[in-house]
Amino acid sequence: MSQPDAAVLKEIATLRAELEEANYRYYVLDDPTLTDAEYDRKFQRLKQLEEKYPDQVTPDSPTQRVGAPPAEGFPEVTHAIPMLSLDNAFSRDDIVAFAQRVAERLECEPDDIAFSCEPKLDGAAVSLVYEQGVLVSGATRGDGRTGEGITSNLRTLRSVPLRLRGEKAPSLLEVRGEVIMRHSGFEALNERAREEGSKVFANPRNAAAGSLRQLDPRVTATRPLEFHAYQAARIEPDMNDKTHSALMQRLSDIGFRTSAELSVMHGPSAVVDYCDALGEKRDRLGFDIDGVVIKVDDLRLQRELGFVARAPRWAIAFKFPAQEETTQLNDVEFQVGRTGAITPVARLEPVNVAGVTVSNATLHNADEIARLDVRIGDTVAIRRAGDVIPQVVRVDKDKRPKDAREIEFPRRCPVCDSDVERLEGEAVARCSGGLYCPAQRKEAIKHFAGRRALDIDGLGEKLIDQLVERDWVETPADLFHLSVEQLQTLPRMAKKSSTNLVNALEKAKNTTLPRFIYALGIREVGEATAVNLATHFGTLSALQAADQDALEAVEDVGPVVAAHVHTFFRQEHNQETIEALLKSGVRWEESEVEQGPTPLEGQTWVLTGTLESMTRDDGKARLQALGAKVAGSVSKKTACVVAGEAAGSKLTKAEELDVPVIDEATFLERLKAWEKGEEEDA
Ligand code: IVH
């Protein structure tokens, strides 16, 4: 076997360092530096070199995150220190009583105790062991005493450091934390499973645990899992951290993701405030949490307090209301979406799920109804989390009433009576009526008028329903022929509101190419794809003329999306609608996309808190249009933080790191100036 020369060794080392840095930036800091293409290129190059020189492969090489062959089973791993559970608190009184117990043992006042508070992540607990800074083993919690060795699987998580960062690694470190799946990843995973007919998970916790217990690490590698550290069970030699919060900062410094929500609160009433505030925020985190873990911050006091049975005396879990509840399925209705997709919607006996009344839930499609084996009259488990539409996750068949009715999937569109089609290999059934179907027409027009599309102010859902039902509007182009006189004849449309709408329509005619492409409502073309298409082709006519191959050359456009785009522009009625739109005066600067000013090229921005004048997504899109990257967390390299109302930990972090912070008014001013092409520094 040939031996690598010094230059090759250096190249291998550099590639590894670059790839691990890229992983860290992306998966721990949410602040990517490399593009996917650059990452892939470097990864392929490293793999090639390692194949040529197999002696050079090390366990901490980024290539080792994906390659391990399937296991026969998982070895039993005895935890050096048991992984304990926590006692629960369910009320303010329980928290106060916990603080009181701690204070009595420590012979002090509850108000004098500092508590570190952080989200109780709802995932799968794991433990990672590092020797001389290198990951040597990883295991599940199991029964707390012994777990399963799943090192190869844990290696595939990019947020699990294979080697600790920094100069001096401890000789031994055991880090514990939770592996979670974000709502977005969970939804995508289940959606794919529904399409492929493979296993659908009831919730992100099951999905995380199930993904970790795959015998083939290559399967785990495809699952969107994240490791969040919350404890250091062993460090040798002792680093003398005084507090849990300082220790978490240390873990963050050496490469782990730790909670961005961690705060130290003094006394039980501040802890209760923290729990209330996090409860408010729960739906916006993007992942499941089931409460707050409250820990005595001082590590010396933790040792003094010790343990009882299976739980520490120095910590407690305050539990939020459950995100799953049971109720009765009263009926199923079928809704027709913009692309004709027919979705069964469960009408439920209203039930309060974690503070929100739920009376509808999605049943996705016919396969899902079959999978759940659900009938009208059944008792069903409903899950609601974040922005995700409530779902029926389970049926309690023991409670099925004798008169439970089977759900019949319609063969004709419930709105326009056209045939319902289900293409070979597709899970979704669709109304074949196209724009003949008023439901599809309404949805297409709602989409066209939406904030992210042409943004027609004052054209709400009810009004669109009326316009379509009266046959005044068949295609989006018809909107621009509405007159004040005509609109005034509609119920609840006075002269003023009619004039406003006509003015808003006039204003909306000035748009951008990406918005226009998005507004057309081409299947699977979301905002990001619309931007990519516009950037790539520069003009609408170039896009219209593009063939399948040319479309597939666009960033993030695969064969399926390319085919949708291609078919869309080949359809006569779409061509007519586009022509009519242009004729009625819809316009944009063709050059805007190609040569729009990008004064923020190379800068990373962070948006935090609530913005009054726009959504965060809008702010993000506008920044990106100016060349900036928009990240989810603040680091030294952040160029600027925009702090809206109630900005929290990111603002604090920015202040700590001396990163420039601007308020919303300043942000708007600068955006406008940059968008006009006026030079100014951030
Ligand atoms: S600390 C001595 N912190 O909750 C136990 N646990 O009921 C120290 N969990 O199995 C645990 N988020 O998996 C801690 N921020 C957090 C947590 C957390 C979730 C889980 C953990 C454990 C269970 C305890």
Side-chain angles (χ1 to χ4, degrees), residues 82-88 117-126 141 176-178 228-231 244 259 290-295 307 310-312 314-315 317 319:
M83 291 180 78
L84 301 174
S85 53
L86 294 170
D87 283 339
N88 291 327
C117 301
E118 61 194 72
K120 185 170 190 303
L121 302 165
D122 201 4
V126 301
R141 176 176 187 274
R176 290 175 181 174
E178 203 87 351
H228 293 230
Y230 57 62
Q231 196 187 19
H244 169 74
S259 180
D290 56 350
V292 176
V293 180
I294 304 159
K295 303 169 186 174
F307 302 86
R310 293 167 49 82
W314 44 263
K319 299 293 280 274

Short mmCIF file of all heavy atoms in Angstrom, two decimals, residues 82-88 117-126 141 176-178 228-231 244 259 290-295 307 310-312 314-315 317 319, ligand 1:
data_model
loop_
_atom_site.label_atom_id
_atom_site.label_comp_id
_atom_site.label_asym_id
_atom_site.label_seq_id
_atom_site.Cartn_x
_atom_site.Cartn_y
_atom_site.Cartn_z
N PRO A 82 -25.16 6.03 37.44
CA PRO A 82 -26.51 5.79 36.90
C PRO A 82 -27.13 7.07 36.33
O PRO A 82 -26.83 8.17 36.78
CB PRO A 82 -27.31 5.32 38.13
CG PRO A 82 -26.32 4.98 39.17
CD PRO A 82 -25.05 5.70 38.86
N MET A 83 -27.96 6.90 35.31
CA MET A 83 -28.70 8.04 34.75
C MET A 83 -30.04 8.10 35.48
O MET A 83 -30.89 7.24 35.29
CB MET A 83 -28.91 7.86 33.25
CG MET A 83 -27.61 7.96 32.47
SD MET A 83 -27.83 7.76 30.69
CE MET A 83 -28.47 9.35 30.20
N LEU A 84 -30.18 9.11 36.30
CA LEU A 84 -31.34 9.16 37.19
C LEU A 84 -32.55 9.78 36.50
O LEU A 84 -32.46 10.35 35.42
CB LEU A 84 -30.99 9.98 38.43
CG LEU A 84 -29.80 9.44 39.22
CD1 LEU A 84 -29.45 10.41 40.33
CD2 LEU A 84 -30.13 8.07 39.78
N SER A 85 -33.67 9.68 37.20
CA SER A 85 -34.83 10.43 36.72
C SER A 85 -35.06 11.60 37.68
O SER A 85 -34.29 11.79 38.61
CB SER A 85 -36.05 9.53 36.62
OG SER A 85 -36.22 8.89 37.85
N LEU A 86 -36.09 12.36 37.43
CA LEU A 86 -36.35 13.55 38.24
C LEU A 86 -37.73 13.45 38.87
O LEU A 86 -38.65 12.88 38.26
CB LEU A 86 -36.30 14.81 37.37
CG LEU A 86 -34.96 15.18 36.74
CD1 LEU A 86 -35.16 16.30 35.73
CD2 LEU A 86 -33.99 15.61 37.82
N ASP A 87 -37.87 14.02 40.06
CA ASP A 87 -39.21 14.16 40.62
C ASP A 87 -39.94 15.24 39.84
O ASP A 87 -39.33 16.13 39.27
CB ASP A 87 -39.11 14.58 42.10
CG ASP A 87 -38.73 13.39 42.97
OD1 ASP A 87 -38.95 12.25 42.52
OD2 ASP A 87 -38.21 13.62 44.08
N ASN A 88 -41.27 15.16 39.87
CA ASN A 88 -42.06 16.11 39.11
C ASN A 88 -42.74 17.15 39.99
O ASN A 88 -43.08 16.88 41.13
CB ASN A 88 -43.15 15.38 38.33
CG ASN A 88 -42.55 14.53 37.23
OD1 ASN A 88 -41.52 14.89 36.65
ND2 ASN A 88 -43.18 13.41 36.94
N CYS A 117 -32.44 27.20 35.36
CA CYS A 117 -33.69 26.72 34.75
C CYS A 117 -33.46 26.51 33.25
O CYS A 117 -32.85 27.36 32.60
CB CYS A 117 -34.81 27.74 34.92
SG CYS A 117 -35.15 28.10 36.63
N GLU A 118 -33.93 25.41 32.73
CA GLU A 118 -33.82 25.17 31.29
C GLU A 118 -34.95 24.27 30.82
O GLU A 118 -35.58 23.59 31.63
CB GLU A 118 -32.46 24.57 30.96
CG GLU A 118 -32.21 23.23 31.62
CD GLU A 118 -30.74 22.83 31.55
OE1 GLU A 118 -29.94 23.44 32.27
OE2 GLU A 118 -30.42 21.90 30.81
N PRO A 119 -35.23 24.28 29.53
CA PRO A 119 -36.33 23.46 29.02
C PRO A 119 -36.09 21.98 29.30
O PRO A 119 -34.95 21.52 29.25
CB PRO A 119 -36.30 23.71 27.51
CG PRO A 119 -35.54 24.97 27.32
CD PRO A 119 -34.58 25.05 28.46
N LYS A 120 -37.15 21.27 29.60
CA LYS A 120 -37.06 19.81 29.68
C LYS A 120 -37.37 19.29 28.28
O LYS A 120 -38.50 19.37 27.81
CB LYS A 120 -38.06 19.27 30.70
CG LYS A 120 -37.93 17.77 30.91
CD LYS A 120 -38.77 17.33 32.10
CE LYS A 120 -38.50 15.90 32.51
NZ LYS A 120 -38.71 14.92 31.44
N LEU A 121 -36.31 18.86 27.63
CA LEU A 121 -36.44 18.44 26.23
C LEU A 121 -37.15 17.10 26.15
O LEU A 121 -36.87 16.20 26.95
CB LEU A 121 -35.05 18.33 25.60
CG LEU A 121 -34.25 19.62 25.65
CD1 LEU A 121 -32.79 19.35 25.37
CD2 LEU A 121 -34.82 20.62 24.66
N ASP A 122 -38.05 16.97 25.17
CA ASP A 122 -38.80 15.73 25.06
C ASP A 122 -38.23 14.90 23.92
O ASP A 122 -38.68 14.97 22.78
CB ASP A 122 -40.27 16.08 24.81
CG ASP A 122 -41.17 14.91 25.18
OD1 ASP A 122 -40.66 13.90 25.69
OD2 ASP A 122 -42.39 15.02 24.94
N GLY A 123 -37.19 14.16 24.24
CA GLY A 123 -36.55 13.33 23.22
C GLY A 123 -36.06 12.04 23.87
O GLY A 123 -36.77 11.48 24.70
N ALA A 124 -34.87 11.61 23.49
CA ALA A 124 -34.31 10.39 24.06
C ALA A 124 -33.00 10.76 24.75
O ALA A 124 -32.13 11.39 24.16
CB ALA A 124 -34.04 9.38 22.95
N ALA A 125 -32.87 10.33 26.02
CA ALA A 125 -31.67 10.67 26.79
C ALA A 125 -30.52 9.75 26.37
O ALA A 125 -30.70 8.55 26.21
CB ALA A 125 -31.94 10.51 28.28
N VAL A 126 -29.33 10.35 26.18
CA VAL A 126 -28.15 9.55 25.86
C VAL A 126 -26.94 10.07 26.64
O VAL A 126 -26.96 11.18 27.16
CB VAL A 126 -27.80 9.55 24.34
CG1 VAL A 126 -28.94 9.02 23.51
CG2 VAL A 126 -27.37 10.92 23.87
N ARG A 141 -30.16 5.71 27.59
CA ARG A 141 -30.34 5.70 29.04
C ARG A 141 -30.70 4.29 29.53
O ARG A 141 -30.24 3.86 30.58
CB ARG A 141 -31.45 6.67 29.40
CG ARG A 141 -31.81 6.69 30.85
CD ARG A 141 -32.87 7.76 31.11
NE ARG A 141 -33.12 7.91 32.52
CZ ARG A 141 -33.99 7.18 33.20
NH1 ARG A 141 -34.67 6.25 32.58
NH2 ARG A 141 -34.17 7.37 34.48
N ARG A 176 -24.05 14.19 29.19
CA ARG A 176 -25.39 13.66 28.97
C ARG A 176 -26.30 14.71 28.37
O ARG A 176 -26.09 15.90 28.58
CB ARG A 176 -25.95 13.14 30.28
CG ARG A 176 -25.20 11.89 30.68
CD ARG A 176 -25.58 11.39 32.00
NE ARG A 176 -24.79 10.20 32.29
CZ ARG A 176 -24.80 9.57 33.43
NH1 ARG A 176 -25.57 10.00 34.41
NH2 ARG A 176 -24.07 8.50 33.60
N GLY A 177 -27.26 14.24 27.66
CA GLY A 177 -28.16 15.19 27.04
C GLY A 177 -29.28 14.47 26.33
O GLY A 177 -29.45 13.25 26.48
N GLU A 178 -30.03 15.21 25.57
CA GLU A 178 -31.21 14.66 24.93
C GLU A 178 -31.04 14.73 23.41
O GLU A 178 -30.55 15.73 22.89
CB GLU A 178 -32.42 15.51 25.36
CG GLU A 178 -33.74 14.83 25.28
CD GLU A 178 -34.10 14.02 26.53
OE1 GLU A 178 -33.25 13.84 27.42
OE2 GLU A 178 -35.25 13.55 26.57
N HIS A 228 -28.60 17.79 22.33
CA HIS A 228 -28.48 18.97 23.21
C HIS A 228 -27.96 18.52 24.57
O HIS A 228 -28.57 17.68 25.22
CB HIS A 228 -29.85 19.63 23.41
CG HIS A 228 -30.41 20.25 22.17
ND1 HIS A 228 -30.90 21.53 22.13
CD2 HIS A 228 -30.56 19.76 20.91
CE1 HIS A 228 -31.34 21.80 20.90
NE2 HIS A 228 -31.15 20.74 20.14
N ALA A 229 -26.81 19.07 24.97
CA ALA A 229 -26.19 18.64 26.23
C ALA A 229 -26.86 19.33 27.41
O ALA A 229 -27.22 20.50 27.32
CB ALA A 229 -24.71 18.97 26.20
N TYR A 230 -27.05 18.60 28.53
CA TYR A 230 -27.60 19.25 29.73
C TYR A 230 -26.88 18.85 31.02
O TYR A 230 -27.26 19.28 32.09
CB TYR A 230 -29.10 19.05 29.85
CG TYR A 230 -29.59 17.60 29.87
CD1 TYR A 230 -29.21 16.73 30.88
CD2 TYR A 230 -30.46 17.16 28.88
CE1 TYR A 230 -29.67 15.42 30.90
CE2 TYR A 230 -30.93 15.85 28.89
CZ TYR A 230 -30.53 14.99 29.90
OH TYR A 230 -30.97 13.70 29.92
N GLN A 231 -25.86 18.03 30.93
CA GLN A 231 -25.18 17.61 32.16
C GLN A 231 -23.80 17.06 31.83
O GLN A 231 -23.61 16.43 30.79
CB GLN A 231 -26.00 16.52 32.84
CG GLN A 231 -25.62 16.28 34.28
CD GLN A 231 -26.34 15.07 34.87
OE1 GLN A 231 -26.83 14.21 34.15
NE2 GLN A 231 -26.37 15.02 36.19
N HIS A 244 -23.52 24.87 37.74
CA HIS A 244 -24.05 24.15 36.59
C HIS A 244 -24.06 25.06 35.36
O HIS A 244 -23.67 24.64 34.27
CB HIS A 244 -25.47 23.65 36.91
CG HIS A 244 -26.19 23.12 35.72
ND1 HIS A 244 -25.90 21.90 35.16
CD2 HIS A 244 -27.18 23.66 34.96
CE1 HIS A 244 -26.69 21.70 34.12
NE2 HIS A 244 -27.47 22.76 33.97
N SER A 259 -28.63 24.59 25.95
CA SER A 259 -29.89 25.31 25.81
C SER A 259 -29.68 26.82 25.71
O SER A 259 -29.03 27.42 26.56
CB SER A 259 -30.81 25.03 26.99
OG SER A 259 -32.01 25.74 26.79
N ASP A 290 -41.38 19.24 27.45
CA ASP A 290 -42.53 18.88 28.28
C ASP A 290 -42.47 19.54 29.64
O ASP A 290 -43.22 19.18 30.53
CB ASP A 290 -42.72 17.36 28.36
CG ASP A 290 -41.49 16.64 28.87
OD1 ASP A 290 -40.43 17.28 28.99
OD2 ASP A 290 -41.59 15.44 29.16
N GLY A 291 -41.58 20.50 29.80
CA GLY A 291 -41.54 21.21 31.06
C GLY A 291 -40.25 21.98 31.24
O GLY A 291 -39.56 22.30 30.27
N VAL A 292 -39.94 22.27 32.51
CA VAL A 292 -38.72 22.99 32.85
C VAL A 292 -37.95 22.14 33.85
O VAL A 292 -38.55 21.61 34.79
CB VAL A 292 -39.07 24.34 33.52
CG1 VAL A 292 -37.80 25.07 33.98
CG2 VAL A 292 -39.87 25.23 32.57
N VAL A 293 -36.64 21.98 33.64
CA VAL A 293 -35.84 21.32 34.66
C VAL A 293 -35.20 22.42 35.51
O VAL A 293 -34.55 23.33 35.00
CB VAL A 293 -34.77 20.39 34.06
CG1 VAL A 293 -33.96 19.73 35.19
CG2 VAL A 293 -35.41 19.33 33.19
N ILE A 294 -35.45 22.33 36.81
CA ILE A 294 -34.97 23.35 37.75
C ILE A 294 -33.87 22.69 38.58
O ILE A 294 -34.11 21.68 39.24
CB ILE A 294 -36.14 23.79 38.66
CG1 ILE A 294 -37.31 24.28 37.81
CG2 ILE A 294 -35.69 24.84 39.67
CD1 ILE A 294 -38.65 24.25 38.54
N LYS A 295 -32.65 23.26 38.49
CA LYS A 295 -31.52 22.64 39.19
C LYS A 295 -30.88 23.66 40.12
O LYS A 295 -30.71 24.82 39.72
CB LYS A 295 -30.45 22.19 38.18
CG LYS A 295 -30.96 21.23 37.12
CD LYS A 295 -29.94 21.03 35.99
CE LYS A 295 -30.58 20.19 34.89
NZ LYS A 295 -29.75 20.06 33.70
N PHE A 307 -28.73 12.54 46.76
CA PHE A 307 -29.82 11.85 46.07
C PHE A 307 -30.75 11.13 47.03
O PHE A 307 -30.33 10.77 48.12
CB PHE A 307 -29.23 10.80 45.12
CG PHE A 307 -28.29 11.39 44.12
CD1 PHE A 307 -26.95 11.59 44.44
CD2 PHE A 307 -28.76 11.78 42.89
CE1 PHE A 307 -26.09 12.17 43.53
CE2 PHE A 307 -27.90 12.35 41.97
CZ PHE A 307 -26.56 12.54 42.29
N ARG A 310 -34.02 7.19 43.27
CA ARG A 310 -33.60 7.32 41.87
C ARG A 310 -33.56 8.76 41.38
O ARG A 310 -33.44 9.00 40.19
CB ARG A 310 -34.54 6.50 40.99
CG ARG A 310 -34.39 5.01 41.25
CD ARG A 310 -35.52 4.26 40.61
NE ARG A 310 -35.73 4.65 39.20
CZ ARG A 310 -35.00 4.17 38.19
NH1 ARG A 310 -34.06 3.28 38.42
NH2 ARG A 310 -35.25 4.56 36.97
N ALA A 311 -33.69 9.73 42.27
CA ALA A 311 -33.73 11.12 41.81
C ALA A 311 -32.87 12.01 42.70
O ALA A 311 -32.73 11.75 43.90
CB ALA A 311 -35.17 11.62 41.80
N PRO A 312 -32.28 13.06 42.09
CA PRO A 312 -31.48 13.97 42.91
C PRO A 312 -32.37 14.86 43.78
O PRO A 312 -33.49 15.16 43.39
CB PRO A 312 -30.73 14.81 41.88
CG PRO A 312 -31.56 14.76 40.64
CD PRO A 312 -32.30 13.46 40.67
N TRP A 314 -31.46 17.86 44.36
CA TRP A 314 -31.14 19.23 43.92
C TRP A 314 -31.85 19.65 42.64
O TRP A 314 -31.60 20.73 42.10
CB TRP A 314 -29.63 19.41 43.76
CG TRP A 314 -28.93 18.27 43.05
CD1 TRP A 314 -28.28 17.23 43.64
CD2 TRP A 314 -28.82 18.06 41.65
NE1 TRP A 314 -27.77 16.38 42.70
CE2 TRP A 314 -28.08 16.86 41.46
CE3 TRP A 314 -29.26 18.76 40.52
CZ2 TRP A 314 -27.79 16.35 40.19
CZ3 TRP A 314 -28.97 18.25 39.26
CH2 TRP A 314 -28.25 17.05 39.11
N ALA A 315 -32.71 18.79 42.11
CA ALA A 315 -33.40 19.16 40.87
C ALA A 315 -34.83 18.66 40.89
O ALA A 315 -35.18 17.73 41.62
CB ALA A 315 -32.67 18.58 39.67
N ALA A 317 -38.46 18.45 37.99
CA ALA A 317 -38.99 18.76 36.66
C ALA A 317 -40.38 19.35 36.81
O ALA A 317 -41.27 18.69 37.35
CB ALA A 317 -39.05 17.49 35.81
N LYS A 319 -43.68 20.12 35.11
CA LYS A 319 -44.27 19.57 33.89
C LYS A 319 -45.34 20.49 33.31
O LYS A 319 -46.23 20.96 34.02
CB LYS A 319 -44.90 18.19 34.17
CG LYS A 319 -43.91 17.16 34.66
CD LYS A 319 -42.88 16.77 33.60
CE LYS A 319 -43.44 15.78 32.61
NZ LYS A 319 -43.33 14.39 33.05
S1 IVH B 1 -30.99 16.93 34.02
C1 IVH B 1 -30.12 13.68 37.56
N1 IVH B 1 -31.86 18.49 32.17
O1 IVH B 1 -35.53 14.31 31.84
C2 IVH B 1 -30.92 13.88 36.33
N2 IVH B 1 -32.73 16.29 32.23
O2 IVH B 1 -36.83 12.97 34.27
C3 IVH B 1 -30.42 15.04 35.59
N3 IVH B 1 -34.33 15.79 30.45
O3 IVH B 1 -34.11 11.23 31.59
C4 IVH B 1 -31.21 15.28 34.39
N4 IVH B 1 -34.24 17.75 29.48
O4 IVH B 1 -33.55 12.73 29.71
C5 IVH B 1 -31.94 17.27 32.69
N5 IVH B 1 -32.53 20.00 30.53
C6 IVH B 1 -32.60 18.79 31.07
C7 IVH B 1 -33.42 17.79 30.55
C8 IVH B 1 -33.47 16.55 31.16
C9 IVH B 1 -34.78 16.55 29.45
C10 IVH B 1 -34.76 14.41 30.68
C11 IVH B 1 -33.64 13.46 30.89
C12 IVH B 1 -34.04 12.55 32.01
C13 IVH B 1 -35.40 13.03 32.37
C14 IVH B 1 -35.53 13.10 33.88
#
